[in-house]
Amino acid sequence: MQKKYAKELMQFIDKSPSVYHVVENAARTLEAAGFTRLQLSDPFNLKPAGKYFVTANGSALIAWQMSKGQKSLGFKLIGTHSDSPCLRIKPNPELTVQNHYLKLNTEIYGGAILSTWFDRPLSAAGRVIVRTDNPLAPKELLISLKDAPLIIPNLAIHMNREVNEGYKIERQKDMLPLLAIINEKFEQKGFLTNLLAEQLSIDPDSILDFDLYLYDTQPGSFCGLSEEFFSTGKIDNLGMAYASLDALIAQDKPLDYVKAACIFDNEEVGSGTMQGAGSPFFADTLKRITIAQCSPEEPWFEIFQQQLSRSFLISADQAHALHPNYPEKNDITNFPVVNGGPVVKIAAAMSYASDGISAGIFKDLCKRAGVPCQNFVNRSDIKGGSTIGPITAKNLRIKIVDIGNPILSMHSIRELGGTADQEFITKVFHQYYKE
């Protein structure tokens, strides 16, 4: 079994503990492959076959290669997201207990399976905002706290006899990680700020704010008798984001289309931010690409609409695999299995953007790539989730298919993917960008 793609993905996830690290590591990979970083505040001077990328908020990224001719027929797009459910550290987070323990105040980001966060070595990562001479342009410094200083200890079963009978986790009480034991020299107020300043070698007074999120420090690993599974955090959705970048970088022969990999933030909380798929960031970037292809006297908006009519977006997230302990939770005739190939996600309520045409296009791509393909439809009596596909459809008139790899333990601190599936989806993306 080909383990290369799953191994590379786990390595990328291990070194990307926050969305800001995801985008920075992606940017470094793109620059090493010859892509030019553009700033949204600068003009887009784009050349045929040129390779470029832009970022938004340090947590979203759009990378693309221009068409071989002056004007493209349209766009070949893959849309993914950088964020995953987790715990976010609140401002003024320090809490003391009996003048002995120090813990941190947190809130839940996205739909996390909270029970999976207990009794694990944790750390915090994100960005620290530092004062500069320009009050409208502070500096952003990435950070990951050293080692694994945090843990959320379970209450012993002797004190919580109902823990195995459906205990309800209280978010404001149970999900507060332990950080330290207080000693005589301890200063409660500003403890975390001082810790950040120490690790970054900066003055604590220069720190204006921070965006910090907890993460599991244990590295990803293969499992299963033949290592047919891999276990790590954030497969949803770095599994798709990494595969899209891999394909875009490798398939560098320019086409008649603009090829783009788009990694958005905040999908897990609705995408309604300036760096989310529901923001103008996506559409505006595509418009600027079209404008760069046109002369001043040409009707760029008309050309843009024509390009959209010939374009296609693969909204690539993850899908729910048939669970070995809960097979009744899947649809009775559409139940994707791990290592059975990528999944086309379909919903009559259009919570997925797939229809017969877009699904058929993707299935043909899989066939051309020599990859199996499956379907996912929710049980008719169970409401499912949604993706960036329908959100994008509100802003762009474009054909969209919602797809994903079948995984288990979705939204757990550690998810379970199929080793073969990571290879399958990467091959499909390569095929998409190749012809």
Side-chain angles (χ1 to χ4, degrees):
M1 183 176 293
Q2 174 61 267
K3 297 189 293 184
K4 171 181 179 291
Y5 297 104
K7 183 177 181 179
E8 290 179 351
L9 169 62
M10 287 190 286
Q11 291 172 341
F12 181 81
I13 291 173
D14 289 344
K15 67 178 183 180
S16 303
S18 77
V19 291
Y20 311 108
H21 291 81
V22 168
V23 168
E24 182 57 29
N25 288 330
R28 290 176 181 173
T29 301
L30 288 164
E31 287 177 325
F35 284 72
T36 300
R37 185 195 292 252
L38 302 176
Q39 301 297 328
L40 291 173
S41 57
D42 295 335
F44 278 21
N45 297 314
L46 310 179
K47 299 178 181 179
K51 297 184 288 187
Y52 308 93
F53 71 95
V54 293
T55 64
N57 188 50
S59 61
L61 177 148
I62 298 177
W64 71 93
Q65 182 177 26
M66 298 294 289
S67 59
K68 60 185 178 182
Q70 179 61 34
K71 286 193 182 62
S72 66
L73 289 177
F75 300 91
K76 284 191 172 187
L77 307 163
I78 299 175
T80 63
H81 63 89
S82 59
D83 60 319
S84 301
C86 61
L87 278 63
R88 175 174 178 156
I89 298 177
K90 292 181 180 180
N92 305 314
E94 295 87 357
L95 294 165
T96 59
V97 180
Q98 300 295 331
N99 201 35
H100 185 73
Y101 298 117
L102 172 68
K103 58 184 182 178
L104 298 181
N105 194 7
T106 64
E107 60 179 329
I108 311 303
Y109 176 87
I113 301 178
L114 300 181
S115 61
T116 64
W117 285 79
F118 289 91
D119 301 323
R120 290 181 178 272
L122 304 172
S123 188
R127 64 182 179 183
V128 176
I129 313 304
V130 179
R131 179 185 291 108
T132 68
D133 292 337
N134 183 351
L136 295 182
K139 183 188 297 185
E140 301 175 27
L141 300 177
L142 299 191
I143 190 170
S144 177
L145 297 183
K146 295 177 182 178
D147 302 318
L150 297 162
I151 194 166
I152 304 174
N154 252 306
L155 182 61
I157 194 170
H158 313 83
M159 301 176 182
N160 185 12
R161 293 289 182 180
E162 66 271 26
V163 67
N164 293 326
E165 309 300 327
Y167 174 75
K168 182 178 180 181
I169 295 172
E170 297 183 34
R171 296 184 173 208
Q172 187 59 76
K173 178 179 178 63
D174 296 327
M175 303 307 297
L176 305 182
L178 178 65
L179 176 60
I181 296 290
I182 300 172
N183 57 41
E184 295 179 357
K185 298 180 179 179
F186 178 83
E187 294 182 10
Q188 175 189 352
K189 185 175 178 59
F191 181 89
L192 181 59
T193 297
N194 290 329
L195 179 62
L196 297 173
E198 179 183 351
Q199 291 201 13
L200 293 171
S201 299
I202 59 176
D203 184 348
D205 291 337
S206 69
I207 295 178
L208 299 172
D209 213 327
F210 54 78
D211 294 307
L212 294 176
Y213 301 84
L214 270 58
Y215 71 94
D216 182 10
T217 61
Q218 297 180 85
S221 61
F222 288 104
C223 52
L225 186 61
S226 301
E227 298 190 330
E228 59 264 52
F229 306 110
F230 65 98
S231 171
T232 186
K234 306 177 183 179
I235 298 174
D236 176 17
N237 189 31
L238 297 187
M240 293 291 149
Y242 185 78
S244 69
L245 290 175
D246 180 286
L248 182 66
I249 290 170
Q251 299 300 328
D252 60 354
K253 180 181 178 181
L255 306 178
D256 292 327
Y257 288 81
V258 172
K259 299 180 288 186
C262 313
I263 305 173
F264 302 106
D265 193 7
N266 304 128
E267 189 274 345
E268 300 294 355
V269 291
S271 298
T273 61
M274 70 173 185
Q275 58 274 1
S279 75
F281 174 51
F282 189 19
D284 286 353
T285 300
L286 298 186
K287 290 174 185 177
R288 294 178 74 173
I289 292 172
T290 296
I291 291 171
Q293 298 174 0
C294 299
S295 61
E297 63 273 9
E298 287 183 297
W300 71 264
F301 186 74
E302 175 66 23
I303 294 171
F304 179 63
Q305 294 300 317
Q306 293 172 7
Q307 290 175 334
L308 287 183
S309 69
R310 296 186 289 263
S311 299
F312 193 70
L313 168 64
I314 298 176
S315 169
D317 209 328
Q318 302 293 344
H320 298 291
L322 181 73
H323 197 292
N325 294 339
Y326 310 96
E328 72 279 2
K329 291 295 185 178
N330 281 77
D331 182 60
I332 56 178
T333 61
N334 297 279
F335 41 86
V337 294
V338 173
N339 288 330
V343 177
V344 175
K345 300 190 286 188
I346 303 164
M350 299 310 293
S351 52
Y352 302 126
S354 309
D355 60 17
I357 295 175
S358 63
I361 291 172
F362 184 78
K363 290 175 181 179
D364 186 45
L365 275 173
C366 290
K367 187 174 183 179
R368 291 168 185 258
V371 166
C373 187
Q374 308 180 83
N375 291 318
F376 173 83
V377 185
N378 287 299
R379 276 184 59 107
S380 298
D381 53 0
I382 296 179
K383 183 179 180 180
S386 188
T387 68
I388 66 169
I391 292 171
T392 304
K394 295 178 182 179
N395 299 320
L396 288 172
R397 185 183 53 80
I398 188 174
K399 290 189 290 292
I400 302 173
V401 65
D402 269 303
I403 63 97
N405 271 347
I407 67 171
L408 297 169
S409 306
M410 187 182 293
H411 287 198
S412 169
I413 195 171
R414 288 183 77 90
E415 298 168 322
L416 190 66
T419 303
D421 284 329
Q422 195 61 35
E423 178 186 11
F424 288 151
I425 196 63
T426 306
K427 284 185 174 180
V428 175
F429 289 169
H430 276 250
Q431 183 69 35
Y432 181 53
Y433 285 144
K434 183 167 64 177
E435 60 178 6

